[in-house]
Amino acid sequence: MESTLFFAVPLGALAALMLVAFCAGIIDGIAGGGGMLNVPSLMLAGLDPVTAVATNKLQGTFGVASATRSFAQAGLIDFPTMRWPFALSILGSMVGAVVAQKIPGDFLRLIIPFILIGLAAFVATSRKLTDAEARQKLPMLVYAGALSAPIGFYDGFFGPGGGTFFFITLVTMLGQGVTRAAGNAKLLNLGSNLGSLIVYALSGVVVWSLGLMIGLASFAGARIGARLAMSRGAALIKPLVVVVALALSLRLLV
């Protein structure tokens, strides 16, 4: 690789990466987890793991920003109440991005699949995951420090599934309905993408030309995914979260 500014790939490979990013954007727009497609595809294109994660943050920011905008326009994001979780998501992801460049991620890769399998089982069997609001179990500041910051750290450090973790904790810990939680999760995921992208950009490990190209495809896919999530609600989001969580766990185990 000559430079992180430009990374040449054959036209056919670029088209394939854009198609993957478009599909991943749809998944991200609904339930999160698009990184499980993007990061391996970027590595197959020749990027090393850290550069692949960093470039995925660039294109992922396009997709999550697109989905966030769609949910915000529908009035499904609580900006005032989410300000502290959003801020700590950014901070956590920045720390995670710094750590990712200093230590290997083998430990997280080992434990995350089993956490995801447990979450998938919970989502599949829980009758509480509906569009109805439930009792909030944690104060917002506690949620921000105890969950939003660590999930942001994970997203900056490793990535795939960060949006899914945000979604599940918003439902289970803050009692939010499934569709509203999906919208607020996009906001928090946008924060974690932006925070880690800043660190990776300053470190010079983002392939800007490639990330911008596939970012446009991710942007388009995420708009479709967000509209599907808002129109179908829990009937679509809940089963897709299960599928994404299991697929992520299997991908990481393999």
Side-chain angles (χ1 to χ4, degrees), residues 126-212:
S126 176
R127 297 180 180 180
K128 296 181 179 180
L129 293 183
T130 68
D131 279 319
E133 301 288 320
R135 182 175 63 85
Q136 183 173 329
K137 297 179 181 178
L138 291 177
M140 192 60 68
L141 280 176
V142 174
Y143 172 83
L147 290 171
S148 187
I151 295 172
F153 175 89
Y154 163 76
D155 197 34
F157 181 86
F158 187 47
T164 307
F165 284 126
F166 279 127
F167 164 77
I168 291 174
T169 56
L170 287 169
V171 173
T172 56
M173 294 293 104
L174 296 187
Q176 296 183 359
V178 165
T179 306
R180 184 166 296 279
N184 287 326
K186 298 299 175 290
L187 177 65
L188 302 186
N189 201 190
L190 177 61
S192 64
N193 271 271
L194 287 172
S196 55
L197 177 59
I198 290 170
V199 173
Y200 285 125
L202 292 174
S203 301
V205 292
V206 178
V207 183
W208 292 95
S209 57
L210 184 58
L212 289 170

Side-chain angles (χ1 to χ4, degrees), residues 88-148:
L88 288 182
S89 170
I90 294 175
L91 180 60
S93 69
M94 295 180 80
V95 176
V98 171
V99 174
Q101 299 176 72
K102 298 184 180 299
I103 64 172
D106 293 341
F107 177 69
L108 273 178
R109 292 189 182 94
L110 178 65
I111 65 171
I112 290 297
F114 299 101
I115 295 174
L116 286 168
I117 290 171
L119 289 173
F122 172 79
V123 172
T125 57
S126 176
R127 297 180 180 180
K128 296 181 179 180
L129 293 183
T130 68
D131 279 319
E133 301 288 320
R135 182 175 63 85
Q136 183 173 329
K137 297 179 181 178
L138 291 177
M140 192 60 68
L141 280 176
V142 174
Y143 172 83
L147 290 171
S148 187

